[in-house]
Amino acid sequence: MTDQKSDFAPINGAEIYYTLTGETHSETMVMLHAGICDHRMWQHQIAHFSERFRVLAFDMRGFGQTKMVQGEFSFMEDLRALLDYLDIQDAWLMGCSQGGKIAINFALTYPDRVKGLLLVAPAISGYRYEGDPHPLEASFDEADEAGDIAQICELEMQVWVDGTGRKQEDVDPIVRQLIYDMNFIPLHVPDELWEQEIETQPHAIDRLETIDKPTLLVVGDLDVPASLERVDILAERVKNAKKVVMQGTAHIPNLEYPDVFNQIVDDFLREL
């Protein structure tokens, strides 16, 4: 991995922790983490892609080393302000889950600043899943009512990391523990602070056909039905989208099987 620097950027009233790797490269790749992770979920991708790109990874407010602060905020506008702060005009956006949602919103709002989208099990603003509730939903309600953050975190590991039809012992314990540790941080942020997020309008679900950037969609075959459905929606409605399903993994496939994931992205970029 080429030299990496890290710092805090004063952005929209918050101090955003970021890392910048491979600064000598002309093209930039920005990595946006999932809602159960922070920038550490991209460790293998930072090492790999910084050989060819300037790679920016950061902790959104409330995650990792970036503290949540009082007041209204927009994850998308935090991204725009961080790019401005670092004088980055345009970039490839790699986003997982919530990070994918932010990347999509950013591409719709600031299309001239996006070269392409590399999305991993992305969320979509305005999307509503209408299928059956998850079997662990009652357990979540009980843990939430009891204020048992550790149990909530463990349940989220079962849903998002172990995945459909897989047990804890089937997952690399180092990977599982890292995601648990990352997820434990935002779970301590009071709900009333998260509720101050300003949603991007109009919702992306109503505008997907207007995305004209090269788009890669990656999803694990053991992910929840809602994730699989969202990827299918994007594959159908985004003009230049390519869908790839990774086998034997759930919501964070890039961390479980980094070599496979990196090769998928390399192949996609090479085909352009």
Side-chain angles (χ1 to χ4, degrees), residues 42 45 96 119-121 164 166 216-224 228 231 242-265:
W42 301 115
Q45 284 68 52
C96 178
L119 306 175
V120 186
T164 304
R166 195 165 60 158
L216 174 64
L217 305 166
V218 180
V219 67
D221 66 329
L222 305 182
D223 208 338
V224 297
L228 299 171
V231 166
K242 177 182 178 180
K243 170 186 167 183
V244 179
V245 179
M246 288 181 60
Q247 302 299 310
T249 183
H251 203 55
I252 316 292
N254 64 290
L255 192 52
E256 282 205 83
Y257 299 109
D259 291 342
V260 176
F261 176 83
N262 293 347
Q263 188 63 56
I264 290 169
V265 177

Side-chain angles (χ1 to χ4, degrees), residues 84-261:
D84 290 347
Y85 178 80
L86 296 171
D87 196 27
I88 296 172
Q89 299 307 310
D90 56 25
W92 286 89
L93 301 184
M94 179 179 287
C96 178
S97 195
Q98 175 180 257
K101 171 184 173 181
I102 296 164
I104 292 169
N105 286 339
F106 193 86
L108 288 166
T109 307
Y110 303 107
D112 293 342
R113 304 195 68 171
V114 177
K115 289 194 169 185
L117 298 170
L118 309 166
L119 306 175
V120 186
I124 308 171
S125 67
Y127 165 84
R128 295 289 180 270
Y129 179 62
E130 298 181 356
D132 295 332
H134 194 279
L136 291 177
E137 183 170 321
S139 298
F140 272 107
D141 291 341
E142 291 174 8
D144 188 48
E145 189 172 336
D148 190 342
I149 293 177
Q151 178 63 6
I152 293 172
C153 196
E154 170 55 32
L155 290 169
E156 293 195 345
M157 293 304 100
Q158 293 176 30
V159 172
W160 301 113
V161 182
D162 301 345
T164 304
R166 195 165 60 158
K167 299 178 181 178
Q168 175 178 341
E169 52 266 30
D170 298 325
V171 181
D172 183 333
I174 295 176
V175 170
R176 198 179 194 275
Q177 186 62 51
L178 173 59
I179 299 175
Y180 183 98
D181 293 343
M182 290 189 286
N183 190 40
F184 205 63
I185 297 170
L187 286 176
H188 282 82
V189 174
D191 289 345
E192 57 266 24
L193 295 183
W194 293 123
E195 290 167 359
Q196 296 184 66
E197 179 187 2
I198 301 170
E199 287 284 347
T200 303
Q201 297 290 346
H203 287 309
I205 194 69
D206 300 318
R207 299 186 286 160
L208 296 177
E209 287 82 0
T210 66
I211 297 175
D212 61 358
K213 306 297 180 180
T215 301
L216 174 64
L217 305 166
V218 180
V219 67
D221 66 329
L222 305 182
D223 208 338
V224 297
S227 293
L228 299 171
E229 182 174 89
R230 286 194 298 267
V231 166
D232 284 342
I233 290 171
L234 287 161
E236 180 180 341
R237 296 177 54 190
V238 175
K239 300 184 189 73
N240 300 308
K242 177 182 178 180
K243 170 186 167 183
V244 179
V245 179
M246 288 181 60
Q247 302 299 310
T249 183
H251 203 55
I252 316 292
N254 64 290
L255 192 52
E256 282 205 83
Y257 299 109
D259 291 342
V260 176
F261 176 83

Side-chain angles (χ1 to χ4, degrees), residues 4-9 14-19 33 37-40 57-69 181-186 189:
Q4 181 180 93
K5 80 169 187 179
S6 60
D7 204 350
F8 289 87
E15 294 287 327
I16 305 293
Y17 177 81
Y18 70 91
T19 68
H33 63 76
C37 295
D38 55 47
H39 85 281
R40 290 174 288 175
F58 65 100
D59 295 337
M60 292 181 241
R61 60 176 72 204
F63 297 84
Q65 297 187 54
T66 302
K67 303 296 184 185
M68 175 58 88
V69 294
D181 293 343
M182 290 189 286
N183 190 40
F184 205 63
I185 297 170
V189 174

